[in-house]
Amino acid sequence: MSTFERARCRLRAHPLALDAAIAAAVLVCMVVGSFVVPRGDNGVTWGVRTPESLSLLLMTLGAAALVFRRRAPKTVLAVTGTVSLIEFVTGDPRAPVAMTAVVALYTVASTTDRTTTWRVGLLTMTVLTAAAILGGTLPWYAQENLGVLAWTGIGATAGDAVRSRRAVVQAIRERAERAERTREEEARRRVAEERLRIARDLHDVVAHHIALVNVQAGVAAHVMDKRPDQAKEALAHVREASRSALGELRATVGLLRQSDDPEAPTEPAPGLSRLDELVGTFRNAGLPVQVARTDHGTELPAAVDLAAYRIIQEALTNAQKHAGPDAKAEVSVVRVGPHIEVTVLDDGGGAGGEPGAGGGHGLLGMRERVTALGGTLTTGPRYGGGFRVHAILPVKTRTTAQGEPA
């Protein structure tokens, strides 16, 4: 950083010192200008004169007032305007005392609103110009008189331009800060949504497979001594369910890996294409399940496909845990206009009570999935016993062109 830049930064850190330096510079300019006066009969010639003591006093008072121009801009303008008026009436020839009023008017315009600038600026221009025309011996069109009008107008215009620029810069800075806050809030919201989605997936996977493992392990323990073949079959189902649970857990937790991790899983999320496999695990666990589908040929978006699969999985898991040992379940997937309707029914009434009565999050997770897609979910007991889960998921489908892979 150069010496000039360091000095400028130091002055900006101490505004009163900066205003004192500006006032001193204005005083020097006025004193130097007071020794020169344009005069002559044939055109403009320049001569040297000695300023009067009153003019030097007025210049000193006006410059001293400029030291406080930031603290009280309107008061400083009133003081500098007053000494300028006195100089216009008493000075002959005049000293450039009006320079202090121009600087003070610039300060008022740069620190107030545009309406105040117009009012104060017009008042200052009118009063000073009228005093210069009426208080002196020069004709009204003399350049000294017109110069007062021009310089006061320039001071007000320059101050308003600086204020407008500051406002624009401040607005840009505020928009940038607001945009940064919005990006941070959006990032936090997306992180929260992703955490909630992963939590739902983990709940669905763990609840489903652990329920199956629990049932099959109980069967194996019950028939281990009398029917070892059936016990082996139950243990095989336990092993298959645990292997499937580990695979889905690995795929779900893999979403938390870094994007450039080469070990990130590439297996697609489960969907209705794996419905038969899902139903088979429940049938092997002893829950008879009937499936009816009229959505064949319908291509679902990934989010809808996954939601439908998870809803069926959670509903059948609840039926397995709560409906009782003799319960049966029915699953239907129907395309109705622009919607896909998923219904899971069971006819049980076991001692476990309604799903979710134990404080679980299965029904809540289903409702969150459906709501996130803009659908509706209805759950509740059936008339005559059992439980019903009905989800309506909005989806836009497209007909697969001939020869185009689905």
Side-chain angles (χ1 to χ4, degrees), residues 86-229:
I86 296 174
E87 176 63 22
F88 287 152
V89 175
T90 61
D92 189 20
R94 300 166 183 161
V97 181
M99 184 181 296
T100 59
V102 173
V103 176
L105 180 58
Y106 163 84
T107 304
V108 172
S110 62
T111 56
T112 58
D113 58 279
R114 179 159 295 174
T115 301
T116 304
T117 299
W118 276 98
R119 293 175 180 174
V120 175
L122 289 176
L123 178 62
T124 304
M125 293 169 58
T126 302
V127 172
L128 293 184
T129 304
I133 293 175
L134 300 176
T137 58
L138 298 175
W140 68 269
Y141 53 83
Q143 63 180 2
E144 288 86 351
N145 297 335
L146 298 180
V148 174
L149 177 66
W151 280 107
T152 51
I154 291 174
T157 304
D160 183 71
V162 170
R163 180 198 55 78
S164 299
R165 181 180 178 278
R166 289 175 182 169
V168 170
V169 172
Q170 181 65 23
I172 294 174
R173 184 179 295 109
E174 290 177 355
R175 283 198 298 268
E177 294 175 354
R178 187 163 53 250
E180 183 66 22
R181 289 194 300 269
T182 302
R183 283 194 296 269
E184 293 177 356
E185 293 173 358
E186 179 68 15
R188 287 194 295 268
R189 184 186 64 81
R190 291 184 178 181
V191 168
E193 290 180 353
E194 186 66 12
R195 291 176 60 185
L196 181 60
R197 187 185 67 81
I198 294 175
R200 286 197 301 262
D201 287 343
L202 288 175
H203 171 270
D204 294 342
V205 171
V206 172
H208 164 60
H209 292 289
I210 296 302
L212 295 181
V213 168
N214 181 52
V215 171
Q216 296 293 349
V219 171
H222 182 69
V223 300
M224 179 67 71
D225 297 331
K226 297 180 180 180
R227 288 176 287 179
D229 294 338

